[in-house]
Structures are given as structure tokens and as C-alpha cells.
Amino acid sequence: MTARNAARKGWMTAALGAALALGGCAGGSDGPAVFVPVAASTVPVAAASPSETYAVAIPPAQIDAAVARLDQLAADIMRRSSIPGMAVAVVKDGRTVYAKGFGVRTVGAPEPVDADTVFQLASLSKSVGATVVAGLVGRQVLSWDTPVAAHLPGFRLSDEWITQQVTVGDFFAHRSGLSAHVGDQLEDLGYGRQDMLDRLRYVPLDGFRTRYAYTNFGLTAGAEAAARAAGLDWATLSERTLYQPLGMASTSSRFADFMQRGNRASPHVKTEAGYQAQYQRDPDAQSPAGGVSASANDMARWMSMVLQKGSFQGRPVVEAEALLRATSAQIVSSPPRNPNERAGFYGYGFNVGTSPSGRVKLSHSGAFLLGAGTAFSMIPSAGVGIVTLTNAAPVGAAEAMNAAFDDLVEFGALTRDWYEAYAPLMQGLYAPEGTLAGQPPPAQPVAPLGSNAYTGIYANSYYGNAVVETAGSGLVLKMGPAGARRFALRHWSGNTFVIDLSGESATPGSISRIDFRPGVSGLSDSVQMEFYAEDTTRGVFTRTALQP
């Protein structure tokens, strides 16, 4: 993954913090939102300790009034975003006080979304998975400080000392030293979970326990160690530890279970013709980080448990102290850019921030560029949580819905137009990858060498083999397990070709340079691939055989 790609995908934590740092205004309760300044209370609210004192009180009726506005908020965001479907649930003091669906499960089909429609959660899975691990920590199966190597024989990172020291908590806090989104392109090529965990040893490390870098497969390594400690596969562990005790009957960490649900939301991407259900993302390889599927009603049960300090309907599910570690700040994820800005933090699988009212807020967003946008937000001091699930690629709808509701809970009025704030933040996700993206081919390209100069097998320790072979009058590049991913090589100029990219890590219009490097024999000794430049060889594949 290119540095630009990794940076723009860091929105899952950074965008929420950036938008929350913006100033505010307020609006009326009927019709389009009209924004006027909010006068915040300056009278501190009595609390158990000084660190639990809040600048703004929340009158009891204010939360009920916020819930009463949800239909209006949802209708407004559905209209402005044009997304196909959305489900919203709110909990208060351990009870679900709102659960409703809007729109349709699939464009062109009549079935409506309701509160039991199952959505892919994307990165909300990280917070759910953290509570699974907290369940094991509470039972003393392992601790957040357990080294991953203790339960993953053969596991290695590129630094032997870090290999022995890195813990389950380090991976869940994204502070292992791995680069952001490492492994995502391996997943797009078709490699499985164990393949990717094995290949982490080839990735350079930077900033162990000092730098935050959001990684799906780093967190997956921590979760896999926890599952091995419990003697179960991750999906079964999640069922037994969390889903079954909470009665989350529609929730699973297996993609096959999601596909078997009758009441299931299809993922959608935006096209010139509007939203279309063109792809189906299979996230099993990174299940602990992005592979959970659930309904809004089921997520309400999970939020109730978190807000009730690990209990559900009076029954303990997760030990409170183990859960508190997960929901406490473990590393700075969004450093302030000036002295007036609040910093953002990450716990173990949770964003941990401070709202403008001075209250702790737990949150996370999730996204599949192939068609899912999700978010939750919880205010523990108010006992309130909201989750919004959508079946469309992220445009800020889920985050805007939650932020507007939080405003109404905390201030009794909207502090800004949240959809207008979030939508531009999401646009960077859709910038095509590649230095040649959007450029016309050279008008007078340099002629290539003969096909036999390029055909052959090229090896890379991280990505595996890349096979170049003839196909008709052109060349094709095959990568991934057994060459499962096939790319047509288009000549650009001289020994430079390009491939068109597709998948979760590359938006439409993305292309990658493919630069062959001929040796003294005139045959290419190696090839450098721009898009695959996150390992120690910087995307260089070395020829190992003349013929495929």
C-alpha cells in the first residue's frame, strides 16, 4: 500500500476526531436544520470525583427529546446522502429505547431494512473483538499484556526483540510498529489469515509503543493469539464468549453465516447510475478486525453491555476491569495540531475521546469501500449509545447521524450540520491510486522489448510469486495463491507497463506502474510494482525462472 493510500484510509479514527474538534451551532426541531449559536452551561455538574465533572448538564428529558428527533435526522441524512439503506439503534441505561430501519436492503428490490437486518460491520468488528478478548482477560485465560509469541508458535516480526515483547494489547492499540494497513493488499490478492500473519516478518517496523498506525492484520494477530490461548477458532470463541451470552442471535464472525441470513443488507457502491450492489466483500481473513456481521438490535445489546460495565440485564458477561482497560486511552491516535485542539486517543479496539461538553466518548467507524459504512458512539456518563449501520460505501452518513444525536443528548440542539462536515472528509477515500492515475498514455511511447524479455516468474518474500506470461497478443500478470489474481499488462512506454487495480484497497480509476528492469542479457532481471511497495523490498520482484 502506498503511503498516500494508508494515510487516507486512517479516516476510521482521524476523521471522527477532526470533526469533533470543529466548532458548533444549533437548530430547531422541525424541517431543515437552521443553525444558531449554542449557549453552553458554565455550571459544573456534581460528580464522584473532579475528573468526572462536566461543563454541561444533561436534563433527564433531553435524552428523550433527542430520541424523538431520530426519525427526522434519519430521513434528512437518507435524502441528502441517497444511500440505499440504514438501521439505527439507541440504548439508554441498559435498555434499547429506539431501533428502526430505513430504505431497502438491495437497490431494485422491495425488501425494506428493519432493526433486525444484518449488515457487515467492517471495523466496528475491532471494538466487538476487543470485548471478546476482555472476556478472556476477565477469566484469566490471558492478559492484555500477554506476549503474542506465547500463543502463536513460529510468529515473527522483522525485529526479534519486538517479536518477543509485542503483546495482545499492543496489537489492539495499533502500537506494534507495523505500518498502517499493512497486509490489506495481500488480502486483496486472495491470501488467507495465516498467510498474512506469517508474512508480517518481512515488514519493517517503526515506532514500537510510541506511534499509532491503524492495522487490520496487526489487530488480527492479537486476536488470533487470544483464540489460541482459549483453544478455539476466533469465530467460535466470539460466539461462546459474547454473542450467545448476550443473545446476539444474528451476529457472527463468519462470512458464510452472513451470506446465509435471509434478512441481509447487500453492499453498494456509488456509480454514475446511482448506488448499485456490484460487489460482495469476504472479510474472513481479517475477521477480528473487520469480519463481524450483526443487526442494529444485536449491536444495541452489545452497547448495553459495554455501558453497563460488562453486565447485561443484571448478569455479568465481561469482567469490568478487563473491559475498562479496553475502553481507556492507551495511545495518542490524533495529536493536537494546536494548543486549543483536543487530542484523540485509542484504547484496545475503541476510539476514546472527549466531547465538547467534557464527557468521555467511546466510538468507532467502519468502512468497506466495496459497500459498507458503519459507526457507533457511546457516552458512558449519560448511559447512552447509538449505532448506525448502512449498506453503502462510506460517505459520512453513519458518523453524521451519530454526531447529530450526540449533540441533541448533550446540548439539546445541533451544534452544526454534521453531514456537511463529514461528507468532505470522506472524499479523500475515493482518490485513485497510482502516480499515473488519470494521465493519458504517452503520445509517442518508446517501443517495448519482445515479450520474452518480460515473461517469467518473479519472486518477492512478502507478496510471493508474480508470473508474467503471454495472452494472445499481450501480457498478463498473475499474483496471489496459485496466481488467482490476473491483471492485463498495458504498455505505457519502454519497459514501463501499467495494470488496472480493483478491490477494497484501490478505488475505480486506480492503476499501478510496472517497471521491468532488463539486465545485460536483455531479459528483465526484476520488476518493480508501484502499488506493492510496503514490504522491505519496496515492491521489487526478482526473476527466478525464464518461463512461467
Side-chain angles (χ1 to χ4, degrees):
M1 177 173 300
T2 65
R4 181 165 65 86
N5 181 278
R8 68 184 175 85
K9 290 188 74 175
W11 73 276
M12 295 176 186
T13 54
L16 185 59
L20 286 174
L22 300 172
C25 19
S29 58
D30 298 312
V34 179
F35 300 98
V36 296
V38 169
S41 168
T42 58
V43 180
V45 178
S49 70
S51 62
E52 295 179 74
T53 298
Y54 318 113
V56 180
I58 298 179
Q62 194 162 282
I63 297 175
D64 294 337
V67 172
R69 291 277 299 276
L70 285 169
D71 283 3
Q72 175 203 354
L73 292 174
D76 180 62
I77 289 175
M78 290 286 292
R79 175 184 59 80
R80 296 169 69 188
S81 67
S82 300
I83 61 175
M86 179 169 70
V88 181
V90 171
V91 297
K92 172 68 171 76
D93 295 334
R95 296 186 305 109
T96 301
V97 296
Y98 182 94
K100 189 175 289 189
F102 305 87
V104 295
R105 303 177 210 165
T106 306
V107 165
E111 291 80 11
V113 170
D114 59 33
D116 291 315
T117 299
V118 178
F119 290 76
Q120 291 184 293
L121 299 187
S123 282
L124 267 60
S125 305
K126 294 176 174 66
S127 305
V128 174
T131 59
V132 172
V133 176
L136 296 183
V137 172
R139 300 203 305 268
Q140 299 183 353
V141 175
L142 79 169
S143 80
W144 288 111
D145 301 319
T146 296
V148 165
H151 296 291
L152 292 183
F155 176 79
R156 283 176 52 203
L157 296 177
S158 60
D159 183 290
E160 187 58 32
W161 183 84
I162 295 176
T163 296
Q164 300 305 317
Q165 299 297 318
V166 67
T167 66
V168 172
D170 289 329
F171 279 125
F172 269 82
H174 304 299
R175 63 186 185 200
S176 66
L178 290 170
S179 54
H181 286 276
V182 65
D184 288 3
Q185 286 139 308
L186 284 172
E187 182 186 22
D188 280 355
L189 289 173
Y191 287 104
R193 187 183 309 173
Q194 190 58 51
D195 287 322
M196 278 169 287
L197 297 185
D198 288 342
R199 292 167 194 240
L200 292 179
R201 68 189 64 191
Y202 301 116
V203 179
L205 300 174
D206 179 38
F208 178 52
R209 292 182 181 161
T210 65
R211 184 177 64 91
Y212 169 88
Y214 190 90
T215 63
N216 290 309
F217 288 101
L219 186 143
T220 297
E224 191 69 11
R228 299 281 183 89
L232 298 168
D233 66 88
W234 176 257
T236 302
L237 172 65
S238 300
E239 287 175 353
R240 296 183 183 179
T241 303
L242 199 67
Y243 308 153
Q244 291 173 357
L246 289 177
M248 299 170 70
S250 298
T251 302
S252 177
S253 293
R254 297 186 188 89
F255 176 67
D257 291 344
F258 170 70
M259 293 301 293
Q260 291 173 3
R261 307 293 185 198
N263 186 356
R264 166 172 55 88
S266 300
H268 294 77
V269 293
K270 195 170 187 177
T271 70
E272 292 182 357
Y275 279 100
Q276 300 292 326
Q278 293 185 344
Y279 309 99
Q280 179 56 70
R281 175 90 154 87
D282 177 353
D284 265 356
Q286 57 162 276
S287 178
V292 179
S293 57
S295 66
N297 268 330
D298 275 7
M299 286 299 288
R301 288 172 171 263
W302 173 79
M303 288 193 300
S304 292
M305 182 273 295
V306 174
L307 289 167
Q308 296 294 304
K309 301 177 181 179
S311 293
F312 181 69
Q313 297 178 348
R315 295 178 289 103
V317 176
V318 176
E319 197 267 331
E321 183 60 31
L323 182 59
L324 178 61
R325 288 282 302 276
T327 58
S328 300
Q330 301 294 334
I331 193 167
V332 176
S333 56
S334 300
R337 293 163 294 185
N338 61 70
N340 298 325
E341 188 174 60
R342 291 181 295 276
F345 301 91
Y346 203 85
Y348 296 142
F350 286 82
N351 288 317
V352 183
T354 304
S355 77
S357 74
R359 295 173 185 269
V360 172
K361 185 176 289 188
L362 307 177
S363 64
H364 215 290
S365 290
F368 289 155
L369 295 185
L370 298 184
T374 61
F376 74 80
S377 177
M378 291 186 271
I379 308 173
S381 61
V384 171
I386 181 172
V387 63
T388 301
L389 310 177
T390 80
N391 59 351
V395 292
E399 291 81 5
M401 185 73 187
N402 294 357
F405 176 73
D406 286 352
D407 265 359
L408 296 173
V409 167
E410 293 189 278
F411 306 115
L414 298 177
T415 65
R416 66 175 300 139
D417 183 335
W418 284 105
Y419 184 71
E420 185 178 85
Y422 274 109
L425 292 175
M426 302 299 173
Q427 290 307 306
L429 291 171
Y430 301 98
E433 285 295 309
T435 55
L436 299 178
Q439 297 188 29
Q444 296 180 319
V446 176
L449 302 173
S451 294
N452 67 333
Y454 307 121
T455 56
I457 300 174
Y458 300 81
N460 178 285
S461 56
Y462 182 65
Y463 286 106
N465 285 345
V467 179
V468 178
E469 59 187 26
T470 57
S473 60
L475 295 170
V476 296
L477 168 68
K478 298 196 298 187
M479 297 178 67
R485 286 300 306 272
R486 184 183 177 99
F487 304 91
L489 281 163
R490 293 190 287 115
H491 182 246
W492 192 263
S493 183
N495 296 312
T496 297
F497 291 73
V498 297
I499 58 173
D500 295 313
L501 300 170
S502 63
E504 182 63 30
S505 296
T507 55
S510 296
I511 64 176
S512 175
R513 286 183 61 129
I514 307 293
D515 291 298
F516 289 93
R517 298 172 173 177
V520 293
S521 66
L523 301 179
S524 177
D525 290 334
S526 64
V527 58
Q528 184 169 32
M529 304 188 194
E530 177 186 32
F531 189 64
Y532 301 105
E534 66 182 350
D535 71 322
T536 54
T537 59
R538 301 302 176 197
V540 175
F541 294 67
T542 303
R543 184 193 286 275
T544 60
L546 293 178
Q547 296 297 324

